[in-house]
Amino acid sequence: MNQQINRRNFLSATGALTVSVMMPGIAAAAPTAGLAKRPPLDPKKLASYITINANGTATAYFGKMDMGQGTDMGVAQMVAEELDLPVSRVFVEMGDSASSVNQGGASGSTGVSHGGATLRNAAAEARRQLVNMAAQRLNVAADDLTVTDGVISSKTTPTKKVTYGELIGGRWFDSEVEWNGKIGNDLAVKSPAKLKDPKDYKVYGTSPPRRDVAPKILGTGKFVTDIRLPGMLHARMVMPPVAGAEPVSVDESSIKSIPGVKVIWQKAFLGVVAPKEWDAVKASRMLKVTWSETKAPFVEQKNLYDHIRGAKSIKSGGEGPFMKEPAKVDEAFKSAERVIEATYEWPFQSHASMGPACAVVDYKPNGITTLWTGSQKPHFAGDGVAALLDLKPEQVRGIWVPGPGSYGRNDAGDAAAAAAIFSKAVGKPVRFQAMRNEATGWGPKSPASVHTVRAGLDKDGKVVAWHFHSKAFDRLNVSSNESDPSDTLHGQMIGVKPKAQLTYGSPSNSYKFDVRHLSWDVVPPMLESASPLRSSHLRDPLGPEIHFAHESFVDEVAFATNSDPVAFRLNYVSDQRDKDVIDAAAKKAGWQPRTAARKQRDGDIATGQGIAYSTRNGTRVAVIAEVEVDTKTGKVRGKKFTVAHDCGIVINPQLLTQTIEGNVSQALSRAIHEEVKFDTKNVTSVDWETYPILDFTERPMQIDVVLINRQNIPPNGAGEGSMRPIVAAVANAIYDATGIRLRQGPFTPERIKGGAA
Amino acid sequence: MAKIALNVDGKSHTINADPDMPLLYALRDDLGLDNPKFGCGLAQCGACTVIIDGQAVRSCVTPVDSVGKGKVTTLAGIQKNGVPHKVQAAFIAEQVPQCGYCMNGWVMTTVALLEKTPKPTDKQIEDALTGLKCRCATHVSIMRAVKRAAQA
Ligand code: FES
Ligand code: FES
C-alpha cells in the first residue's frame, strides 16, 4: 500500500508526469487558491481524484476504466450531480497509473458501485471546498450559497456570485479526504461534505451518450494495437505443439532470410522480434524448433467430467451456517420424505476476445518503463511488469488503451508480460500481439465444473433440505489481478512458479430453505504451469455455470412438486426486491403458469419459455427466455429475452439497457455454442471455426428490459449481473419446449438430439 | 521483396514488400492506416475488412500484390469532406460498439451492402453480415444501426 504512494511520489519526482512536486509552504500561504502544480498522486489528496480546469470544467481521475459499457459516463454523471455541473462539462480520465490512483481497474462490476462512489465523494468534497472558497471571496456565509451549473451565488443577494473556474480553475485542490487505507477495488474516501439528497438528482436517470463511440466508429481513436514508437520492434511467440513442452534446440538459420529478425529464448519462452510486423509473423512460423518429449498432459475430453468427479479435492469450502455442522445437513436429508438429486456439467470456456491481446513495452532501466496495455487493470499490470523486469513498481507506468474487449482476465495480462520480456531482451520498445490460436487456445479459461444438487422434501412437498455442491477446477489458477508474474502465461514460461489461489464459489440468491448448504471442492490442474487450460475469471466468474445448475434444479424441483416455476420461486425467495424482479419479468413476458413442460409445437419447431433468477453483489436479475428448438436439426434459437433488473438507482438507463443486451447475447453464445475443445496434448479450440460464438443470424430477436429504479438505494454493479441467469433460463426454456432436460452444456444440436433419443 | 503500388483512400503509395504479404500488414505497418484490425488472420471475423472497388474484402488473407489497380477504401476513407458516412452516423446514433475492435468490419461490410442494396430486407442484411464476429455481442444494436442507415 505504502509502496503505491511512494511509487507516485517517485513518478512525479522523476518528471514522468505532467505535474511536479508541490512546493512546501504554498499550501499554508494560500489555502483557498489551490496549487499551481498537481501534488503527487496520493489516495489522501483530493487532487488525486478531481480538478477544476481553467475553463470551469471538471476532470475526474478514474483508477478503473470502461470496457465499452459506459462506466466512465456513469462516473461522469455521478461527479456532475455532486458538483452541480452539467455532465457535458465533466471529463473522466481513466486507466493511467500516472494520473489516477489504483482503484483496481475493471473488476467485479465495481466501476460504479466502488470506483464511482469514491469519485462521487471526492466531487462532493470538491464542491464543499469550492463553496467555502466562495464564501470567503464573496464575504457571505457558506449556507447562504447555492450552486447552479458551476456558478456559486448568494441566495439572498444573487448578484454576488463567482464561478468554479474563477475560484480555482487550472489550479489543484490542496486538501485531503479521509482514505480507508486500501488500494484496488476496496479503495474508498470520505469527507465531511454532505451528499446530495437523491430527490434533488437531476443528472441521474438521464442518458447522455458515451464519448468513445464516435472515435471507434469514425476510426479516429487509437487501440492498443495501434501504438507505435520510434525504433519499435514487433514480436511473436512460438508456442509448443504439446502443452508443457519446451524448446530443446532452435535452428536460427531457418529464418536467416528475414531481415533484422532475432530469436528470444528463455526456458519455455520462445519468440522472435523483427522491425516489420509481417516478418515477425513469418519468422514465428518458419523457425525450426525441436521440442522436448513430454507426457500428454490432459485427459481425453470425453472423460473430462469423470476426471473431475474422480480427482482428489485439494481445497474445500462453502457458505452458510452448515459448514460447521455438516451432520445437521445429513440429518435433514435423512428425515426427508423424498430426495431429488441432479448433476450438471459445464465445460471450459474461452474469453476469445475479438483480437488477440496486444501490449507495447518500452523498457528503460534507468528511467520510467512504460506499458501500453488493453488490460482491465493497468495499474496492477504495470506492477506485474515491474516485478518481471526486476524494477520497482514506481519505475513502471501502466497506461490503458482500448483493446479488444476482455470480459475478465483474458490474454491481455499475458501480453503485457510477453512484451516486457521481449523489450528487456532487445533493449528496445516492443509491440507484441498474439496470433488467433494463442488468443483462443492459450488465453485463460473459465474452469470446467460438475455441480451436484440435492433437495429433501417433506410429505407435503415442502423443501426441507437443500445442498448445492460444486467440484471444479480452480476459479483462480491464475489470479485476475496481474500484479504478480506468476499469474501470467509468459511469466510461467520463463520459470516463475505458479501460485494457484484454490478457490471456487457458490450460488447467490435469497431462497430460504430450513437447511441450505453450499459447498465446493477444487481439483488440481491437469498441467501445473503454462497450461492452455489454466483457469481464471471470465465475465461473471462462475455465474453462468453455477446458476445453470442451481436454476435448472429449481425448475426440476418445482415440476417434481407439481408447482409452477415462477410460483415456486416466489414462494421460497425471501428478499422482496428479488421477488419484485421475478414478478416483473413474469408479468412483462406474459408468463403462463405450468407444472410440466408444455412442448408447444408448430411443425418441426418447438417453442418454450423458461425463467431463472440470481443476485450478484446486490444486483438482482430475473430473466425469462423464449426459445425455438428445431427438432429436426437440434438447433436452438434464443428468440426473446425479458430481463427484469434491479441494481439500485439507475444512473444511465440507455447505457444500462445496452449493457444488459450485450450480456444477454454473450450469455446466449455461451449457452448454445461455447466449449473449449482439447485433446490429450493441447487445446484444439484455436479459432472461430473450432470455438464458434453467436452469429449475427442467431442474435436474440427481441430483448425486453424492465429496469426497476430504486431512487434511494445506491447503485450496484450492472456489468455482469444479467450475464448470470441467462444460461439457466435458456435450459429451462428448452425443457419447456421439448421436455429435454439438458444437464450438460453448451446446448448444441448434438446434445439436443442426444437428449431426444 | 518487390515494389508494389497501392491506391488507398484516394492516395497512391508504393511500398517494398513480400508479394504474398497480406494487404492488412501493408495498410497497418507500411502505411500506418490502423482501422483495419487483426482479428484472426483467417478470414473468419471481418475485423480487417476494407472495400476494394465496391467489394468488402478481408485484407488479412488478400496478398498485397493481388490488389493490382484496385482502389482500396478503409474506414478512414468513407467520410466525405469530414462528414461521417450515413452508416457511421447510424452506428454512432445507436451507440453500437462496446470495445469497438470489431466495428471496422461491421461498418465497412454495411457500407458495401448499402452501395449495392440501398433498401435491404432483414434477410439481405443477415446474408451480408453473417460470419462477422462481435465478441462483445452487440448484435441487436448492430441490426438497429443497419436499419437506421438504410432509412437515412
Ligand atoms: S482478421 Fe481478417 S477476417 Fe479476421
Ligand atoms: S464491440 Fe467488442 S467485439 Fe464488437
Side-chain angles (χ1 to χ4, degrees):
Chain A
M1 225 165 284
N2 286 330
Q3 211 178 21
Q4 286 294 322
I5 302 165
N6 293 339
R7 159 196 189 162
R8 304 308 160 211
N9 290 344
F10 181 92
L11 280 175
S12 317
T14 52
L17 304 184
T18 50
V19 301
S20 66
V21 186
M22 136 195 172
M23 298 291 288
I26 287 186
T32 56
L35 303 168
K37 305 276 187 189
R38 190 179 193 190
L41 274 180
D42 173 343
K44 289 198 294 294
K45 294 267 179 210
L46 181 57
S48 298
Y49 304 99
I50 198 152
T51 193
I52 301 292
N53 303 305
N55 60 5
T57 59
T59 300
Y61 298 93
F62 191 32
K64 292 181 171 289
M65 90 290 304
D66 174 52
M67 307 301 299
Q69 301 179 318
T71 313
D72 55 328
M73 179 46 72
V75 167
Q77 289 179 254
M78 294 169 87
V79 167
E81 192 72 83
E82 291 301 332
L83 270 180
D84 284 312
L85 271 179
V87 71
S88 59
R89 284 161 61 193
V90 175
F91 301 94
V92 176
E93 225 179 277
M94 57 188 161
D96 182 345
S97 71
S99 72
S100 53
V101 297
N102 183 356
Q103 292 184 275
S107 171
S109 297
T110 58
V112 161
S113 61
H114 294 52
T118 288
L119 294 183
R120 173 202 62 199
N121 292 356
E125 172 60 12
R127 184 187 187 279
R128 189 180 77 96
Q129 295 284 338
L130 289 160
V131 167
N132 286 342
M133 288 175 203
Q136 221 175 50
R137 171 91 67 107
L138 301 174
N139 208 8
V140 295
D143 54 15
D144 177 43
L145 291 172
T146 175
V147 185
T148 311
D149 291 351
V151 181
I152 309 176
S153 56
S154 158
K155 289 181 215 162
T156 49
T157 325
T159 49
K160 283 194 171 185
K161 58 184 173 188
V162 63
T163 66
Y164 284 176
E166 286 162 354
L167 285 168
I168 198 174
R171 301 174 70 79
W172 296 86
F173 288 106
D174 178 24
S175 59
E176 300 206 335
V177 285
E178 196 185 319
W179 170 47
N180 69 351
K182 305 206 164 133
I183 59 150
N185 288 349
D186 292 333
L187 184 152
V189 301
K190 278 199 303 207
S191 86
K194 214 173 139 260
L195 291 177
K196 203 185 246 187
D197 188 323
K199 75 173 174 359
D200 299 326
Y201 281 167
K202 294 195 201 83
V203 189
Y204 278 59
T206 62
S207 294
R210 275 161 51 203
R211 292 163 180 160
D212 58 320
V213 167
K216 283 173 177 171
I217 295 300
L218 299 175
T220 51
K222 275 218 180 306
F223 285 83
V224 66
T225 48
D226 310 333
I227 299 290
R228 284 201 184 79
L229 303 175
M232 181 181 89
L233 299 178
H234 291 273
R236 286 295 182 283
M237 291 296 293
V238 180
M239 301 302 284
V242 180
E246 298 192 6
V248 180
S249 71
V250 175
D251 175 8
E252 298 202 19
S253 71
S254 58
I255 53 170
K256 66 175 189 306
S257 63
I258 298 172
V261 71
K262 209 171 160 212
V263 172
I264 308 296
W265 178 16
Q266 297 173 25
K267 299 191 175 143
F269 181 101
L270 177 64
V272 291
V273 294
K276 302 274 290 179
E277 187 172 9
W278 176 242
D279 286 342
V281 174
K282 260 195 340 196
S284 70
R285 290 175 179 163
M286 283 163 57
L287 187 68
K288 283 216 175 82
V289 186
T290 311
W291 299 93
S292 64
E293 289 292 330
T294 180
K295 187 173 148 278
F298 304 136
V299 300
E300 274 186 62
Q301 181 146 27
K302 65 176 173 23
N303 298 330
L304 173 64
Y305 301 116
D306 284 342
H307 169 82
I308 294 174
R309 267 187 282 273
K312 76 168 194 301
S313 166
I314 50 172
K315 184 77 184 280
S316 301
E319 263 172 52
F322 297 98
M323 285 304 289
K324 288 202 197 77
E325 300 179 288
K328 286 221 167 125
V329 181
D330 292 341
E331 255 168 57
F333 276 102
K334 265 192 212 117
S335 73
E337 192 72 22
R338 189 175 156 203
V339 175
I340 306 176
E341 177 173 328
T343 295
Y344 304 84
E345 296 160 339
W346 200 254
F348 291 103
Q349 294 188 322
S350 180
H351 297 77
S353 297
M354 188 63 202
C358 177
V360 178
V361 170
D362 187 8
Y363 172 66
K364 292 232 177 77
N366 303 313
I368 294 296
T369 292
T370 307
L371 159 71
W372 288 265
T373 176
S375 159
Q376 298 182 195
K377 300 180 172 68
H379 294 75
F380 284 130
D383 292 350
V385 164
L388 196 62
L389 299 180
D390 290 319
L391 298 170
K392 297 196 188 73
E394 57 265 29
Q395 288 174 279
V396 177
R397 175 179 179 186
I399 304 174
W400 170 77
V401 194
S406 68
Y407 333 113
R409 171 60 170 87
N410 73 341
D411 52 342
D414 301 320
I421 295 167
F422 280 119
S423 181
K424 184 173 182 175
V426 296
K428 291 197 169 128
V430 172
R431 173 190 182 277
F432 167 71
Q433 185 168 23
M435 300 302 282
R436 182 76 250 161
N437 65 313
E438 291 161 72
T440 306
W442 285 90
K445 309 294 186 293
S446 68
S449 54
V450 173
H451 310 272
T452 306
V453 208
R454 279 193 302 157
L457 310 172
D458 71 8
K459 60 177 188 339
D460 304 319
K462 179 181 167 233
V463 178
V464 291
W466 189 271
H467 183 193
F468 187 97
H469 181 76
S470 301
K471 195 170 182 193
F473 290 100
D474 196 355
R475 171 184 185 143
L476 287 170
N477 179 241
V478 289
S479 166
S480 60
N481 168 299
E482 299 178 17
S483 63
D484 188 332
S486 66
D487 292 319
T488 62
L489 174 64
H490 303 90
Q492 294 184 358
M493 292 177 103
I494 61 165
V496 186
K497 252 187 99 55
K499 281 184 220 144
Q501 311 264 311
L502 303 184
T503 182
Y504 203 70
S506 296
S508 176
N509 49 51
S510 68
Y511 291 100
K512 220 174 150 138
F513 306 120
D514 297 347
V515 169
R516 180 169 175 265
H517 183 45
L518 311 172
S519 61
W520 49 259
D521 283 299
V522 169
V523 307
M526 291 185 274
L527 175 63
E528 199 73 36
S529 183
S531 173
L533 288 176
R534 67 198 181 288
S535 39
S536 192
H537 283 173
L538 171 58
R539 180 177 277 169
D540 186 27
L542 316 181
E545 56 266 41
I546 283 181
H547 297 88
F548 156 57
H550 193 277
E551 289 296 290
S552 293
F553 190 67
V554 167
D555 264 35
E556 295 205 49
V557 175
F559 290 139
T561 55
N562 216 20
S563 320
D564 168 61
V566 168
F568 183 91
R569 284 174 175 79
L570 290 173
N571 187 24
Y572 285 101
V573 162
S574 60
D575 184 286
Q576 188 55 45
R577 284 171 69 194
D578 295 9
K579 290 186 188 195
D580 289 349
V581 288
I582 294 168
D583 211 38
K587 284 214 174 81
K588 177 82 187 175
W591 179 267
Q592 302 291 327
R594 80 287 309 252
T595 54
R598 294 174 305 166
K599 302 190 205 172
Q600 295 175 333
R601 270 298 264 278
D602 184 357
D604 292 336
I605 303 297
T607 53
Q609 221 184 18
I611 182 166
Y613 129 88
S614 54
T615 62
R616 190 183 200 285
N617 300 334
T619 292
R620 43 274 276 166
V621 180
V623 60
I624 289 173
E626 240 177 271
V627 304
E628 275 180 7
V629 181
D630 185 325
T631 52
K632 264 242 171 70
T633 63
K635 272 188 77 130
V636 175
R637 174 85 194 251
K639 234 171 88 179
K640 179 176 158 193
F641 292 84
T642 307
V643 181
H645 193 280
D646 172 0
C647 59
I649 188 165
V650 174
I651 298 174
N652 187 315
Q654 177 65 34
L655 297 183
L656 176 55
T657 300
Q658 283 186 285
T659 295
I660 293 168
E661 288 176 345
N663 271 334
V664 167
S665 307
Q666 198 181 50
L668 174 61
S669 176
R670 290 173 69 178
I672 65 173
H673 284 303
E674 297 185 30
E675 174 169 26
V676 171
K677 297 276 169 62
F678 55 90
D679 61 22
T680 58
K681 293 185 181 140
N682 211 333
V683 168
T684 55
S685 284
V686 289
D687 57 21
W688 297 117
E689 301 276 305
T690 49
Y691 192 77
I693 60 169
L694 196 74
D695 186 61
F696 184 68
T697 54
E698 301 169 323
R699 73 196 180 285
M701 289 178 239
Q702 192 179 338
I703 302 175
D704 286 347
V705 176
V706 183
L707 299 179
I708 299 182
N709 186 11
R710 306 272 181 194
Q711 188 74 12
N712 290 310
I713 297 177
N716 285 117
E720 299 170 277
S722 52
M723 167 70 53
R724 185 160 275 197
I726 306 293
V727 169
V730 171
N732 287 338
I734 292 171
Y735 179 78
D736 184 47
T738 61
I740 299 169
R741 175 57 67 189
L742 291 177
R743 298 195 185 89
Q744 188 187 86
F747 316 134
T748 54
E750 296 71 40
R751 288 197 176 87
I752 300 271
K753 291 210 280 202
Chain B
M1 293 291 249
K3 279 210 174 332
I4 295 164
L6 286 172
N7 183 300
V8 186
D9 295 337
K11 287 200 196 94
S12 297
H13 305 268
T14 307
I15 62 162
N16 221 341
D18 256 357
D20 61 351
M21 177 175 84
L23 172 63
L24 175 65
Y25 293 90
L27 297 172
R28 293 186 54 90
D29 209 22
D30 291 284
L31 305 180
L33 297 169
D34 285 326
N35 287 314
K37 296 281 183 266
F38 179 87
C40 65
L42 304 164
Q44 293 175 357
C45 76
C48 61
T49 303
V50 295
I51 294 175
I52 304 182
D53 298 334
Q55 205 68 22
V57 167
R58 298 192 174 172
S59 67
C60 70
V61 291
T62 305
V64 65
D65 77 338
S66 73
V67 179
K69 293 204 166 10
K71 288 194 176 14
V72 180
T73 306
T74 74
L75 185 67
I78 62 173
Q79 295 194 36
K80 291 240 160 59
N81 310 319
V83 179
H85 189 282
K86 66 177 178 182
V87 173
Q88 291 176 309
F91 272 66
I92 292 169
E94 294 292 346
Q95 296 194 75
V96 175
Q98 287 199 13
C99 80
Y101 197 81
C102 66
M103 282 296 134
N104 174 70
W106 295 97
V107 171
M108 295 304 279
T109 310
T110 304
V111 168
L113 164 70
L114 297 187
E115 281 294 311
K116 274 194 216 100
T117 317
K119 299 282 170 217
T121 61
D122 284 15
K123 173 81 171 61
Q124 286 170 319
I125 295 172
E126 289 194 341
D127 288 347
L129 300 184
T130 184
L132 293 173
K133 302 290 182 290
C134 175
R135 183 51 165 153
C136 298
T138 66
H139 309 91
V140 296
S141 298
I142 292 169
M143 190 58 165
R144 285 193 288 258
V146 174
K147 289 187 166 179
R148 180 192 278 256
Q151 274 153 26

